[in-house]
PDB file of all heavy atoms in Angstrom:
ATOM      1  N   VAL I 113      38.809  42.702-120.025  1.00  0.00           N
ATOM      2  CA  VAL I 113      39.080  42.961-121.452  1.00  0.00           C
ATOM      3  C   VAL I 113      40.397  43.710-121.544  1.00  0.00           C
ATOM      4  O   VAL I 113      40.602  44.739-120.893  1.00  0.00           O
ATOM      5  CB  VAL I 113      37.965  43.799-122.102  1.00  0.00           C
ATOM      6  CG1 VAL I 113      38.264  44.037-123.584  1.00  0.00           C
ATOM      7  CG2 VAL I 113      36.608  43.097-121.960  1.00  0.00           C
ATOM      8  N   ASP I 114      41.320  43.168-122.333  1.00  0.00           N
ATOM      9  CA  ASP I 114      42.600  43.807-122.672  1.00  0.00           C
ATOM     10  C   ASP I 114      42.437  44.484-124.015  1.00  0.00           C
ATOM     11  O   ASP I 114      41.991  43.838-124.965  1.00  0.00           O
ATOM     12  CB  ASP I 114      43.728  42.792-122.757  1.00  0.00           C
ATOM     13  CG  ASP I 114      44.076  42.179-121.414  1.00  0.00           C
ATOM     14  OD1 ASP I 114      44.182  42.946-120.440  1.00  0.00           O
ATOM     15  OD2 ASP I 114      44.249  40.948-121.373  1.00  0.00           O
ATOM     16  N   VAL I 115      42.838  45.745-124.100  1.00  0.00           N
ATOM     17  CA  VAL I 115      42.815  46.484-125.358  1.00  0.00           C
ATOM     18  C   VAL I 115      44.250  46.889-125.623  1.00  0.00           C
ATOM     19  O   VAL I 115      44.882  47.524-124.793  1.00  0.00           O
ATOM     20  CB  VAL I 115      41.892  47.728-125.256  1.00  0.00           C
ATOM     21  CG1 VAL I 115      41.825  48.477-126.585  1.00  0.00           C
ATOM     22  CG2 VAL I 115      40.499  47.345-124.765  1.00  0.00           C
ATOM     23  N   THR I 116      44.775  46.521-126.801  1.00  0.00           N
ATOM     24  CA  THR I 116      46.166  46.794-127.127  1.00  0.00           C
ATOM     25  C   THR I 116      46.215  47.648-128.404  1.00  0.00           C
ATOM     26  O   THR I 116      45.504  47.382-129.360  1.00  0.00           O
ATOM     27  CB  THR I 116      46.928  45.480-127.372  1.00  0.00           C
ATOM     28  OG1 THR I 116      46.735  44.623-126.254  1.00  0.00           O
ATOM     29  CG2 THR I 116      48.419  45.735-127.613  1.00  0.00           C
ATOM     30  N   ARG I 117      47.091  48.631-128.378  1.00  0.00           N
ATOM     31  CA  ARG I 117      47.240  49.482-129.556  1.00  0.00           C
ATOM     32  C   ARG I 117      47.758  48.677-130.724  1.00  0.00           C
ATOM     33  O   ARG I 117      48.777  47.982-130.626  1.00  0.00           O
ATOM     34  CB  ARG I 117      48.201  50.650-129.267  1.00  0.00           C
ATOM     35  CG  ARG I 117      48.234  51.678-130.407  1.00  0.00           C
ATOM     36  CD  ARG I 117      49.104  52.862-130.039  1.00  0.00           C
ATOM     37  NE  ARG I 117      48.694  53.567-128.830  1.00  0.00           N
ATOM     38  CZ  ARG I 117      47.725  54.503-128.796  1.00  0.00           C
ATOM     39  NH1 ARG I 117      47.070  54.838-129.883  1.00  0.00           N
ATOM     40  NH2 ARG I 117      47.425  55.102-127.657  1.00  0.00           N
ATOM     41  N   GLY I 118      47.022  48.706-131.806  1.00  0.00           N
ATOM     42  CA  GLY I 118      47.417  47.977-133.011  1.00  0.00           C
ATOM     43  C   GLY I 118      47.984  48.937-134.033  1.00  0.00           C
ATOM     44  O   GLY I 118      48.419  50.048-133.710  1.00  0.00           O
ATOM     45  N   SER I 119      47.905  48.533-135.274  1.00  0.00           N
ATOM     46  CA  SER I 119      48.402  49.412-136.345  1.00  0.00           C
ATOM     47  C   SER I 119      47.200  50.048-137.025  1.00  0.00           C
ATOM     48  O   SER I 119      46.312  49.350-137.517  1.00  0.00           O
ATOM     49  CB  SER I 119      49.229  48.601-137.344  1.00  0.00           C
ATOM     50  OG  SER I 119      48.449  47.544-137.854  1.00  0.00           O
ATOM     51  N   GLY I 120      47.193  51.361-137.070  1.00  0.00           N
ATOM     52  CA  GLY I 120      46.147  52.090-137.772  1.00  0.00           C
ATOM     53  C   GLY I 120      44.760  51.882-137.200  1.00  0.00           C
ATOM     54  O   GLY I 120      44.498  52.165-136.038  1.00  0.00           O
ATOM     55  N   TRP I 121      43.859  51.332-138.027  1.00  0.00           N
ATOM     56  CA  TRP I 121      42.453  51.237-137.661  1.00  0.00           C
ATOM     57  C   TRP I 121      42.073  49.836-137.226  1.00  0.00           C
ATOM     58  O   TRP I 121      40.919  49.417-137.404  1.00  0.00           O
ATOM     59  CB  TRP I 121      41.592  51.696-138.840  1.00  0.00           C
ATOM     60  CG  TRP I 121      41.714  53.144-139.028  1.00  0.00           C
ATOM     61  CD1 TRP I 121      42.611  53.789-139.820  1.00  0.00           C
ATOM     62  CD2 TRP I 121      40.970  54.168-138.358  1.00  0.00           C
ATOM     63  NE1 TRP I 121      42.472  55.138-139.713  1.00  0.00           N
ATOM     64  CE2 TRP I 121      41.445  55.401-138.813  1.00  0.00           C
ATOM     65  CE3 TRP I 121      39.949  54.148-137.426  1.00  0.00           C
ATOM     66  CZ2 TRP I 121      40.939  56.617-138.376  1.00  0.00           C
ATOM     67  CZ3 TRP I 121      39.445  55.363-136.987  1.00  0.00           C
ATOM     68  CH2 TRP I 121      39.938  56.576-137.453  1.00  0.00           C
ATOM     69  N   ALA I 122      42.971  49.112-136.642  1.00  0.00           N
ATOM     70  CA  ALA I 122      42.663  47.787-136.088  1.00  0.00           C
ATOM     71  C   ALA I 122      43.250  47.697-134.688  1.00  0.00           C
ATOM     72  O   ALA I 122      44.450  47.960-134.498  1.00  0.00           O
ATOM     73  CB  ALA I 122      43.203  46.685-136.960  1.00  0.00           C
ATOM     74  N   THR I 123      42.392  47.379-133.708  1.00  0.00           N
ATOM     75  CA  THR I 123      42.831  47.295-132.335  1.00  0.00           C
ATOM     76  C   THR I 123      42.570  45.899-131.794  1.00  0.00           C
ATOM     77  O   THR I 123      41.413  45.476-131.697  1.00  0.00           O
ATOM     78  CB  THR I 123      42.086  48.331-131.470  1.00  0.00           C
ATOM     79  OG1 THR I 123      42.337  49.651-131.992  1.00  0.00           O
ATOM     80  CG2 THR I 123      42.522  48.290-130.018  1.00  0.00           C
ATOM     81  N   PRO I 124      43.638  45.152-131.430  1.00  0.00           N
ATOM     82  CA  PRO I 124      43.439  43.831-130.844  1.00  0.00           C
ATOM     83  C   PRO I 124      42.817  43.914-129.463  1.00  0.00           C
ATOM     84  O   PRO I 124      43.198  44.774-128.645  1.00  0.00           O
ATOM     85  CB  PRO I 124      44.857  43.264-130.764  1.00  0.00           C
ATOM     86  CG  PRO I 124      45.690  44.136-131.641  1.00  0.00           C
ATOM     87  CD  PRO I 124      45.036  45.470-131.648  1.00  0.00           C
ATOM     88  N   ILE I 125      41.877  43.006-129.193  1.00  0.00           N
ATOM     89  CA  ILE I 125      41.285  42.911-127.871  1.00  0.00           C
ATOM     90  C   ILE I 125      41.325  41.452-127.426  1.00  0.00           C
ATOM     91  O   ILE I 125      41.321  40.548-128.248  1.00  0.00           O
ATOM     92  CB  ILE I 125      39.839  43.444-127.814  1.00  0.00           C
ATOM     93  CG1 ILE I 125      38.924  42.621-128.757  1.00  0.00           C
ATOM     94  CG2 ILE I 125      39.777  44.908-128.108  1.00  0.00           C
ATOM     95  CD1 ILE I 125      37.467  42.893-128.519  1.00  0.00           C
ATOM     96  N   HIS I 126      41.370  41.257-126.129  1.00  0.00           N
ATOM     97  CA  HIS I 126      41.263  39.927-125.521  1.00  0.00           C
ATOM     98  C   HIS I 126      40.152  39.991-124.482  1.00  0.00           C
ATOM     99  O   HIS I 126      40.213  40.794-123.558  1.00  0.00           O
ATOM    100  CB  HIS I 126      42.598  39.545-124.847  1.00  0.00           C
ATOM    101  CG  HIS I 126      42.558  38.209-124.192  1.00  0.00           C
ATOM    102  ND1 HIS I 126      42.688  37.024-124.878  1.00  0.00           N
ATOM    103  CD2 HIS I 126      42.357  37.874-122.889  1.00  0.00           C
ATOM    104  CE1 HIS I 126      42.578  36.014-124.051  1.00  0.00           C
ATOM    105  NE2 HIS I 126      42.374  36.513-122.836  1.00  0.00           N
ATOM    106  N   VAL I 127      39.134  39.169-124.674  1.00  0.00           N
ATOM    107  CA  VAL I 127      37.991  39.114-123.752  1.00  0.00           C
ATOM    108  C   VAL I 127      38.079  37.841-122.929  1.00  0.00           C
ATOM    109  O   VAL I 127      38.251  36.767-123.488  1.00  0.00           O
ATOM    110  CB  VAL I 127      36.641  39.153-124.524  1.00  0.00           C
ATOM    111  CG1 VAL I 127      35.465  38.993-123.582  1.00  0.00           C
ATOM    112  CG2 VAL I 127      36.528  40.396-125.362  1.00  0.00           C
ATOM    113  N   ARG I 128      37.998  37.989-121.608  1.00  0.00           N
ATOM    114  CA  ARG I 128      38.015  36.839-120.705  1.00  0.00           C
ATOM    115  C   ARG I 128      36.855  37.007-119.712  1.00  0.00           C
ATOM    116  O   ARG I 128      36.732  38.040-119.085  1.00  0.00           O
ATOM    117  CB  ARG I 128      39.346  36.772-119.956  1.00  0.00           C
ATOM    118  CG  ARG I 128      39.430  35.688-118.916  1.00  0.00           C
ATOM    119  CD  ARG I 128      40.792  35.715-118.208  1.00  0.00           C
ATOM    120  NE  ARG I 128      40.844  34.891-117.031  1.00  0.00           N
ATOM    121  CZ  ARG I 128      41.199  33.632-117.001  1.00  0.00           C
ATOM    122  NH1 ARG I 128      41.542  33.028-118.113  1.00  0.00           N
ATOM    123  NH2 ARG I 128      41.217  32.963-115.861  1.00  0.00           N
ATOM    124  N   ALA I 129      36.056  35.960-119.587  1.00  0.00           N
ATOM    125  CA  ALA I 129      34.984  35.963-118.595  1.00  0.00           C
ATOM    126  C   ALA I 129      35.073  34.673-117.787  1.00  0.00           C
ATOM    127  O   ALA I 129      35.303  33.592-118.353  1.00  0.00           O
ATOM    128  CB  ALA I 129      33.615  36.057-119.283  1.00  0.00           C
ATOM    129  N   VAL I 130      34.948  34.796-116.475  1.00  0.00           N
ATOM    130  CA  VAL I 130      35.099  33.664-115.575  1.00  0.00           C
ATOM    131  C   VAL I 130      33.909  33.611-114.621  1.00  0.00           C
ATOM    132  O   VAL I 130      33.539  34.636-114.033  1.00  0.00           O
ATOM    133  CB  VAL I 130      36.413  33.767-114.754  1.00  0.00           C
ATOM    134  CG1 VAL I 130      36.574  32.564-113.852  1.00  0.00           C
ATOM    135  CG2 VAL I 130      37.613  33.922-115.652  1.00  0.00           C
ATOM    136  N   ALA I 131      33.362  32.417-114.446  1.00  0.00           N
ATOM    137  CA  ALA I 131      32.291  32.186-113.478  1.00  0.00           C
ATOM    138  C   ALA I 131      32.550  30.851-112.787  1.00  0.00           C
ATOM    139  O   ALA I 131      33.238  29.986-113.346  1.00  0.00           O
ATOM    140  CB  ALA I 131      30.935  32.159-114.179  1.00  0.00           C
ATOM    141  N   LYS I 132      32.022  30.686-111.599  1.00  0.00           N
ATOM    142  CA  LYS I 132      32.118  29.406-110.908  1.00  0.00           C
ATOM    143  C   LYS I 132      31.039  28.470-111.460  1.00  0.00           C
ATOM    144  O   LYS I 132      29.935  28.886-111.755  1.00  0.00           O
ATOM    145  CB  LYS I 132      31.925  29.574-109.402  1.00  0.00           C
ATOM    146  CG  LYS I 132      33.089  30.295-108.730  1.00  0.00           C
ATOM    147  CD  LYS I 132      34.346  29.472-108.797  1.00  0.00           C
ATOM    148  CE  LYS I 132      35.503  30.140-108.085  1.00  0.00           C
ATOM    149  NZ  LYS I 132      36.714  29.329-108.148  1.00  0.00           N
ATOM    150  N   GLU I 133      31.419  27.219-111.623  1.00  0.00           N
ATOM    151  CA  GLU I 133      30.516  26.216-112.202  1.00  0.00           C
ATOM    152  C   GLU I 133      30.156  25.184-111.141  1.00  0.00           C
ATOM    153  O   GLU I 133      31.056  24.529-110.603  1.00  0.00           O
ATOM    154  CB  GLU I 133      31.232  25.540-113.394  1.00  0.00           C
ATOM    155  CG  GLU I 133      30.366  24.682-114.226  1.00  0.00           C
ATOM    156  CD  GLU I 133      29.583  25.464-115.268  1.00  0.00           C
ATOM    157  OE1 GLU I 133      29.590  26.690-115.250  1.00  0.00           O
ATOM    158  OE2 GLU I 133      28.959  24.821-116.101  1.00  0.00           O
ATOM    159  N   GLY I 134      28.889  25.082-110.814  1.00  0.00           N
ATOM    160  CA  GLY I 134      28.419  24.093-109.829  1.00  0.00           C
ATOM    161  C   GLY I 134      27.968  22.802-110.504  1.00  0.00           C
ATOM    162  O   GLY I 134      28.427  22.453-111.572  1.00  0.00           O
ATOM    163  N   LEU I 135      27.029  22.150-109.857  1.00  0.00           N
ATOM    164  CA  LEU I 135      26.543  20.861-110.389  1.00  0.00           C
ATOM    165  C   LEU I 135      25.776  21.029-111.687  1.00  0.00           C
ATOM    166  O   LEU I 135      25.829  20.192-112.575  1.00  0.00           O
ATOM    167  CB  LEU I 135      25.651  20.179-109.340  1.00  0.00           C
ATOM    168  CG  LEU I 135      26.347  19.713-108.096  1.00  0.00           C
ATOM    169  CD1 LEU I 135      25.341  19.154-107.103  1.00  0.00           C
ATOM    170  CD2 LEU I 135      27.403  18.651-108.413  1.00  0.00           C
ATOM    171  N   ILE I 136      25.048  22.131-111.788  1.00  0.00           N
ATOM    172  CA  ILE I 136      24.301  22.413-113.031  1.00  0.00           C
ATOM    173  C   ILE I 136      25.211  23.248-113.918  1.00  0.00           C
ATOM    174  O   ILE I 136      25.570  24.359-113.593  1.00  0.00           O
ATOM    175  CB  ILE I 136      22.990  23.164-112.717  1.00  0.00           C
ATOM    176  CG1 ILE I 136      22.109  22.318-111.819  1.00  0.00           C
ATOM    177  CG2 ILE I 136      22.271  23.529-114.010  1.00  0.00           C
ATOM    178  CD1 ILE I 136      20.889  23.027-111.299  1.00  0.00           C
ATOM    179  N   LYS I 137      25.567  22.676-115.060  1.00  0.00           N
ATOM    180  CA  LYS I 137      26.490  23.351-115.966  1.00  0.00           C
ATOM    181  C   LYS I 137      25.775  24.446-116.741  1.00  0.00           C
ATOM    182  O   LYS I 137      24.975  24.175-117.631  1.00  0.00           O
ATOM    183  CB  LYS I 137      27.117  22.350-116.939  1.00  0.00           C
ATOM    184  CG  LYS I 137      27.786  21.181-116.256  1.00  0.00           C
ATOM    185  CD  LYS I 137      28.911  21.626-115.353  1.00  0.00           C
ATOM    186  CE  LYS I 137      29.571  20.450-114.674  1.00  0.00           C
ATOM    187  NZ  LYS I 137      30.193  20.795-113.421  1.00  0.00           N
ATOM    188  N   GLN I 138      26.062  25.701-116.391  1.00  0.00           N
ATOM    189  CA  GLN I 138      25.428  26.835-117.051  1.00  0.00           C
ATOM    190  C   GLN I 138      26.330  27.492-118.095  1.00  0.00           C
ATOM    191  O   GLN I 138      25.871  28.249-118.921  1.00  0.00           O
ATOM    192  CB  GLN I 138      25.066  27.896-116.010  1.00  0.00           C
ATOM    193  CG  GLN I 138      24.066  27.418-114.981  1.00  0.00           C
ATOM    194  CD  GLN I 138      23.739  28.510-114.008  1.00  0.00           C
ATOM    195  OE1 GLN I 138      23.591  29.671-114.369  1.00  0.00           O
ATOM    196  NE2 GLN I 138      23.620  28.163-112.737  1.00  0.00           N
ATOM    197  N   ARG I 139      27.621  27.210-118.026  1.00  0.00           N
ATOM    198  CA  ARG I 139      28.599  27.781-118.955  1.00  0.00           C
ATOM    199  C   ARG I 139      28.528  29.310-118.960  1.00  0.00           C
ATOM    200  O   ARG I 139      28.643  29.956-119.994  1.00  0.00           O
ATOM    201  CB  ARG I 139      28.398  27.254-120.378  1.00  0.00           C
ATOM    202  CG  ARG I 139      28.309  25.754-120.516  1.00  0.00           C
ATOM    203  CD  ARG I 139      29.670  25.104-120.427  1.00  0.00           C
ATOM    204  NE  ARG I 139      29.592  23.672-120.704  1.00  0.00           N
ATOM    205  CZ  ARG I 139      29.707  22.727-119.766  1.00  0.00           C
ATOM    206  NH1 ARG I 139      29.902  23.067-118.516  1.00  0.00           N
ATOM    207  NH2 ARG I 139      29.634  21.451-120.083  1.00  0.00           N
ATOM    208  N   ALA I 140      28.333  29.883-117.778  1.00  0.00           N
ATOM    209  CA  ALA I 140      28.146  31.317-117.659  1.00  0.00           C
ATOM    210  C   ALA I 140      29.366  32.106-118.087  1.00  0.00           C
ATOM    211  O   ALA I 140      29.258  33.173-118.684  1.00  0.00           O
ATOM    212  CB  ALA I 140      27.776  31.697-116.231  1.00  0.00           C
TER     213      ALA I 140
END
């Protein structure tokens, strides 16, 4: 998670989640 200083009372965030995907697609 990236948290960046925004203006005033709003803070931009970037959420990234990564998992390995095998034969059964779990979309983890």
